[in-house]
Amino acid sequence: MKKIMITALLMTLMGSVSVSAQETVQIDHSDAILASAEKLDSLYNYWNDFVAQHPKDERAWRNLFEVSNGMVEQKHWKNWQEGEDLQKKLNVVGRMKQAIPHTYTFFYSAYEGAYREENWTSEEFFAFRDAAADSAISALPKDAVAGDYEQWIRYLIPKNDTIRIGVMVNKYYMSGQYPPEMLQYHFNELQGMEEGAVYIAPHEYDIIGKLILQLVKGVHRDKILYDENVAVWPEYIEAVFKRIGLDFNETIWQQLHSSYQEESYPAIFRHICANSKRPVYVSAPSVASINLMEGIPAELKPCFYNEGLTLRYSPKPYDNMAVKRRNIESRYWLEYLRMSFEPESEHRRFAAPNTFCRMNYLELLKDQLPYYKEHDQQRYVWLQDLMTAIRQQMSRDYPMDLFDEEDK
C-alpha cells in the first residue's frame, strides 16, 4: 500500500514540471528538484534563451532560477563541490542581479540560492542573505505561490518574529492555497490535547497549519509549538523554554547543544519531556520524523501513549484508551470526513492532502472498533460508517486498491 501511495504522490508532483514551457507557468521548487536531468537541461535551455530575449521578465527569471537550482541540488546530492561549481558556472542569480535588481524575484532567488560574491566574508554573506529575505517579505506579490509563503514562515520562526509570522500566515490562508482538510486535521490534533500543552514538531510543515489556526482563526492559542528543525538557534530555544516555563541560560544551552544535531535534538527533546510541567505531545504520523528521522529516543518510547491523532508523554501509565475514546466521541470534529466540500484546485499546496489525512484517521482510530462493538453498539455503527465513508472518498481520489486486507 505504501509503495502505491508514494508512486501516486510522485506522479502528481511531477505533473507540473512536464507542462510545456511555452505556457509560462511558474515552475515549483520541489518539482524542479524531482525532475529528470534531461528534463532540467531542456527547460534550462528554453528559459535561458527566453531571458536573453526578455531580460525584464520576472516570471522567466524565476523559472530559470528554479530549474538551475534543481540542477545544482541534484549535483549536490552526488558531489557537493560539483554542485558549487555548476552554480558558479551558470551564475543565474548574478545575472539576475544585473537584469532585475530590487525585485521580489531577485531577493527570493538570492536567498534560496545562497548567493554570495567572491570576496564576501561569512558575516557579509549572512547579513546579505537576511537582508534579501527581509526585502523579499516586504515585496511579496499578491499572487505568490504556496511554497513562497512557507519559505518565509520558515525563515521567521527561528527569529521569533510573531508579528511578521502572523501577517504571513494570514496572507497564506487568505490566498486559498492551504488545503482546508489539512487545516481541519491540524485542528483535531490540537483539539485532543490538554490545555497549555507543548507540541513538538519535527519541522515547520508540521506547525504551519497550526500557526494559521492560532494566529488567523484565533483557536488553541494556549498550545505551545516547538519546531525542533530550528533548534540550532539558542535565541529560539530560549523563547520556547520561556513559554513552557523552563529555565534557560548559557550553562543549560551548553549542556543541551552540540555541533552534531543528532546529539542536540534528542537532548532538547528529553529535557522538555523531563522538565515541563505542561503536557507534552507529538503527532502520531510524525513520530518517525522526530529527532532527524530517528524517532523518539528508545528509553522514552514506553512513556508515550497514543490518544488518537497524537501521543502524549507520561512517565506514569494511565488509561490512554479512555482518553482516545473521549477524543473520538466529544473532541474531534469528524463529520467533515464523510464528504468533501472543497473544490478541486491546481493551486493547492499539497499533492494529495485529503487522502493522506483520511488514511491517518483510519490507521489511528480503527483499534477502537472492537471496544465499541462489545460495549457501545451505536458508537460502533457510527465509527464503522465513518470509516466506510472515508474509504469511499479515498477510492474516488485514487481509483486503485489502497487498502490492505486488515483495513477493509
Side-chain angles (χ1 to χ4, degrees):
M1 177 180 71
K2 291 181 180 178
K3 290 183 179 179
I4 293 175
M5 292 303 301
I6 291 171
T7 300
L9 174 60
L10 289 176
M11 289 174 64
T12 306
L13 284 171
M14 290 302 296
S16 59
V17 174
S18 63
V19 174
S20 170
Q22 284 80 357
E23 294 181 11
T24 322
V25 295
Q26 183 166 315
I27 295 173
D28 184 82
H29 175 79
S30 299
D31 293 342
I33 292 176
L34 290 170
S36 68
E38 293 76 13
K39 184 64 179 178
L40 289 177
D41 284 341
S42 174
L43 286 172
Y44 179 85
N45 290 332
Y46 175 84
W47 288 113
N48 198 44
D49 291 341
F50 194 100
V51 297
Q53 299 173 47
H54 308 278
K56 299 300 181 182
D57 190 321
E58 283 194 56
R59 177 62 59 85
W61 276 110
R62 173 67 180 262
N63 284 350
L64 180 62
F65 168 76
E66 296 296 358
V67 171
S68 66
N69 196 52
M71 297 166 69
V72 169
E73 287 300 310
Q74 289 187 5
K75 288 287 187 182
H76 277 155
W77 294 341
K78 298 177 182 178
N79 183 293
W80 181 264
Q81 190 56 49
E82 287 184 10
E84 294 297 286
D85 293 342
L86 178 60
Q87 186 176 53
K88 187 180 297 185
K89 175 184 176 182
L90 300 179
N91 192 32
V92 171
V93 181
R95 289 186 282 146
M96 197 184 296
K97 185 179 180 181
Q98 299 300 316
I100 53 168
H102 314 300
T103 62
Y104 173 78
T105 301
F106 168 69
F107 294 134
Y108 164 86
S109 303
Y111 177 84
E112 181 65 27
Y115 174 76
R116 69 185 303 160
E117 300 282 355
E118 286 285 347
N119 60 341
W120 281 357
T121 64
S122 295
E123 291 77 11
E124 289 172 323
F125 164 70
F126 286 114
F128 173 81
R129 196 160 187 250
D130 275 2
D134 293 335
S135 296
I137 290 171
S138 297
L140 186 74
K142 292 182 178 179
D143 61 347
V145 296
D148 287 18
Y149 291 112
E150 294 180 0
Q151 170 72 290
W152 306 128
I153 294 169
R154 293 198 305 271
Y155 166 76
L156 293 170
I157 285 174
K159 296 182 178 299
N160 301 301
D161 192 337
T162 54
I163 294 176
R164 285 197 292 173
I165 290 173
V167 171
M168 193 59 60
V169 296
N170 185 69
K171 289 182 177 180
Y172 188 11
Y173 174 74
M174 295 304 293
S175 77
Q177 295 180 75
Y178 198 91
E181 187 152 339
M182 185 164 283
L183 205 58
Q184 179 70 65
Y185 188 86
H186 284 293
F187 175 83
N188 278 338
E189 283 191 321
L190 294 172
Q191 189 80 345
M193 300 179 198
E194 297 304 319
E195 185 176 348
V198 178
Y199 179 79
I200 299 179
H203 45 68
E204 296 82 4
Y205 295 112
D206 199 24
I207 64 172
I208 287 176
K210 295 176 177 68
L211 285 171
I212 292 174
L213 290 168
Q214 290 185 335
L215 303 179
V216 180
K217 305 305 291 182
V219 295
H220 291 297
R221 294 178 66 94
D222 60 296
K223 309 302 188 298
I224 299 169
L225 308 177
Y226 163 55
D227 175 12
E228 71 170 17
N229 194 40
V230 293
V232 296
W233 305 102
E235 298 83 5
Y236 175 74
I237 295 300
E238 181 177 13
V240 171
F241 277 22
K242 183 177 180 180
R243 290 197 65 200
I244 295 174
L246 301 177
D247 292 334
F248 183 89
N249 53 45
E250 184 62 26
T251 300
I252 292 173
W253 174 245
Q254 292 303 323
Q255 291 172 347
L256 299 176
H257 177 65
S258 167
S259 57
Y260 299 101
Q261 290 175 308
E262 60 268 24
E263 294 180 5
S264 60
Y265 282 24
I268 297 171
F269 186 95
R270 291 185 179 97
H271 186 81
I272 292 174
C273 291
N275 296 284
S276 173
K277 303 301 182 184
R278 298 168 177 266
V280 177
Y281 294 83
V282 296
S283 172
S286 299
V287 165
S289 302
I290 290 288
N291 292 314
L292 299 173
M293 308 300 288
E294 291 297 321
I296 296 171
E299 78 278 8
L300 293 184
K301 285 182 180 179
C303 299
F304 275 86
Y305 294 83
N306 178 267
E307 294 186 352
L309 303 183
T310 55
L311 307 181
R312 178 177 177 175
Y313 171 78
S314 176
K316 297 180 181 180
Y318 67 101
D319 189 356
N320 61 301
M321 289 296 100
V323 179
K324 186 171 188 175
R325 288 189 290 274
R326 177 209 66 184
N327 289 340
I328 292 172
E329 295 166 17
S330 62
R331 290 207 174 179
Y332 294 156
W333 294 6
L334 299 172
E335 292 305 309
Y336 79 98
L337 291 165
R338 295 184 183 276
M339 182 182 295
S340 176
F341 291 96
E342 77 175 270
E344 297 208 4
S345 171
E346 59 187 30
H347 301 296
R348 287 279 185 259
R349 169 59 172 142
F350 307 98
N354 295 357
T355 298
F356 293 120
C357 287
R358 289 170 184 154
M359 186 174 292
N360 288 340
Y361 282 112
L362 283 178
E363 291 298 315
L364 295 170
L365 304 186
K366 68 182 181 182
D367 64 351
Q368 294 308 299
L369 284 171
Y371 175 89
Y372 284 131
K373 188 173 185 178
E374 180 178 353
H375 298 283
D376 189 338
Q377 187 63 27
Q378 184 176 358
R379 182 64 65 177
Y380 170 75
V381 172
W382 171 82
L383 186 56
Q384 186 78 278
D385 287 348
L386 180 67
M387 292 189 169
T388 298
I390 292 173
R391 294 189 186 98
Q392 290 172 345
Q393 288 287 325
M394 291 171 64
S395 296
R396 280 193 284 271
D397 290 341
Y398 287 91
M400 59 183 77
D401 187 7
L402 294 175
F403 310 103
D404 295 327
E405 283 301 315
E406 65 179 34
D407 290 333
K408 295 180 178 179

